Amino acid sequence: MRLTTKGRYAVTAMLDIALHRNRGPISVMDIAERQGISAAYLEQLLAKLKKGGLLVSVRGPGGGYQLDRALAEITVSSIITAVGDGVDATRCHGTGDCQDGDRCLTHELWSDLSGEIDGFLSGISLADLVGRKEVQHVASRQDQRLIHARHL
Amino acid sequence: MRLTTKGRYAVTAMLDIALHRNRGPISVMDIAERQGISAAYLEQLLAKLKKGGLLVSVRGPGGGYQLDRALAEITVSSIITAVGDGVDATRCHGTGDCQDGDRCLTHELWSDLSGEIDGFLSGISLADLVGRKEVQHVASRQDQRLIHARHL
DNA sequence: GCTATACCCGACCAAATCGGTCTACTTTCC
DNA sequence: GGAAAGTAGACCGATTTGGTCGGGTATAGC
Ligand code: FES
Ligand code: FES
């Protein structure tokens, strides 16, 4: 299993959109500035999330991205999967044949681990994250800083 | 967090040594053949495991590697850590400052995840793995195949 | 209908990492 | 002394990562 910045950025962006969902569509630039992510790079990730059915986009001025499901229905696991950072720790990708057709010594171990991780991440939805005090705190700090920066 | 073949190979090798621990020191070649891993590559991993205090080596003919602790004291987590595949899913590596000095939106999430994974892997020792029926089964198959191959 | 805003798309890229090889050396047993 | 092992390190090709660039296209608002 590998969890790279791709997955992290994707979750961060989704959470950002979730937190500002009452402001209408959120533009890539807004997210990029608030979260400190390259806008061009972020676009690619959002495209995948859209393809994965987690987001819808609105084009033209005032446009941006919006969630396509209820907060509680979007799990962290689904976000990471949609963006391509698989949650599979086995080498055989579940088929059980990484040692010329046969199961290797440690297959069971990695398979169990994958289940553990996926179970954990499936149990956390955007609704959960939005509700966390720490998250709300960080979010309001980010909002303030953005307003301040734009004032210059 | 990223779990690559480095960590997988390391655990596999340690388990192989554990399974054959009554035969005296195990040579790199033996492990490589049984597990289908490049011997030259495996050497690097065993060197790290030795540096990490999990193995001791015996030089000269008939030499090889042996475990330096009791089976129950060697956890999967410690093996993976020793070989360099960290189990840290955060971007800030625990310091909580990946957004120019401040904590990012998702720090808590990754931190929790890391804990979850580490907890799981810390709870599994070589003793546990050696005791699993599936593991013993695969091991005896590998032993048979090696004897057969060497007979040619 | 212009134009500014924004998403859309695909090519491209530098750096890092991965998995692995190769060579040369040392220690130890027989 | 020679063979069997571990030790050390440079080196390498392929892939992935994280990211840029440039040109699209849709659309709201004047
Ligand atoms: S990881 Fe599945 S068979 Fe080896
Ligand atoms: S991951 Fe720790 S602050 Fe962002």
Side-chain angles (χ1 to χ4, degrees):
Chain A
M1 122 116 207
R2 65 192 202 282
L3 178 55
T4 66
T5 59
K6 206 191 303 187
R8 276 195 289 258
Y9 283 174
V11 175
T12 305
M14 288 293 286
L15 183 50
D16 185 273
I17 295 174
L19 285 163
H20 302 91
R21 65 193 177 287
N22 47 352
R23 298 196 196 167
I26 313 294
S27 78
V28 173
M29 263 307 273
D30 278 9
I31 305 174
E33 286 188 16
R34 264 194 301 263
Q35 306 302 334
I37 305 175
S38 144
Y41 186 44
L42 187 56
E43 257 187 7
Q44 299 175 41
L45 303 183
L46 294 185
K48 289 189 186 183
L49 291 170
K50 185 190 172 188
K51 208 169 296 178
L54 298 178
L55 290 176
V56 287
S57 61
V58 179
R59 300 176 77 145
Y65 288 91
Q66 279 173 312
L67 300 180
D68 196 27
R69 306 191 209 161
L71 286 185
E73 285 173 18
I74 303 179
T75 70
V76 174
S77 169
S78 67
I79 297 173
I80 292 181
T81 302
V83 92
D85 267 22
V87 200
D88 183 20
T90 67
R91 177 148 83 134
C92 57
H93 302 293
T95 56
D97 58 353
C98 84
Q99 185 162 218
D100 43 42
D102 278 317
R103 180 164 298 210
C104 73
L105 261 187
T106 49
H107 174 86
E108 212 189 345
L109 174 64
W110 308 127
S111 181
D112 288 356
L113 175 60
S114 303
E116 195 80 4
I117 294 174
D118 198 51
F120 179 72
L121 294 179
S122 296
I124 301 178
S125 70
L126 284 184
D128 297 327
L129 292 177
V130 167
R132 291 191 184 181
K133 244 179 80 180
E134 173 77 10
V135 168
Q136 292 168 355
H137 187 247
V138 172
S140 69
R141 168 164 53 75
Q142 291 175 340
D143 278 348
Q144 286 309 311
R145 188 182 303 193
L146 183 56
I147 291 169
H148 199 267
R150 290 235 169 117
H151 222 65
L152 304 180
Chain B
M1 121 121 209
R2 66 192 200 281
L3 178 55
T4 67
T5 60
K6 207 190 306 187
R8 275 195 290 257
Y9 282 175
V11 174
T12 305
M14 288 293 286
L15 184 50
D16 185 272
I17 296 175
L19 286 163
H20 302 92
R21 65 193 177 288
N22 47 353
R23 298 194 196 169
I26 312 294
S27 77
V28 174
M29 261 309 273
D30 279 9
I31 305 174
E33 286 189 16
R34 263 194 301 265
Q35 306 303 331
I37 306 175
S38 145
Y41 186 45
L42 186 56
E43 261 187 5
Q44 300 174 39
L45 304 183
L46 294 184
K48 290 190 187 181
L49 292 171
K50 185 189 171 187
K51 209 168 293 177
L54 297 178
L55 290 175
V56 287
S57 62
V58 180
R59 299 176 75 143
Y65 289 90
Q66 281 173 310
L67 301 180
D68 197 27
R69 304 192 209 160
L71 285 186
E73 285 173 17
I74 302 179
T75 69
V76 174
S77 168
S78 67
I79 297 173
I80 291 181
T81 303
V83 91
D85 268 21
V87 199
D88 183 21
T90 68
R91 177 146 84 137
C92 58
H93 300 292
T95 55
D97 59 352
C98 84
Q99 186 161 216
D100 44 41
D102 277 317
R103 181 163 298 209
C104 72
L105 261 187
T106 50
H107 174 86
E108 211 188 345
L109 174 64
W110 309 127
S111 181
D112 287 357
L113 175 61
S114 303
E116 194 80 4
I117 295 174
D118 198 52
F120 179 72
L121 294 179
S122 297
I124 302 179
S125 70
L126 285 185
D128 296 328
L129 292 177
V130 167
R132 291 192 185 181
K133 245 179 77 181
E134 173 76 11
V135 169
Q136 292 167 356
H137 187 247
V138 174
S140 70
R141 168 162 53 74
Q142 291 176 338
D143 279 348
Q144 287 309 313
R145 188 181 303 195
L146 183 55
I147 291 170
H148 200 267
R150 290 231 170 119
H151 224 63
L152 303 180

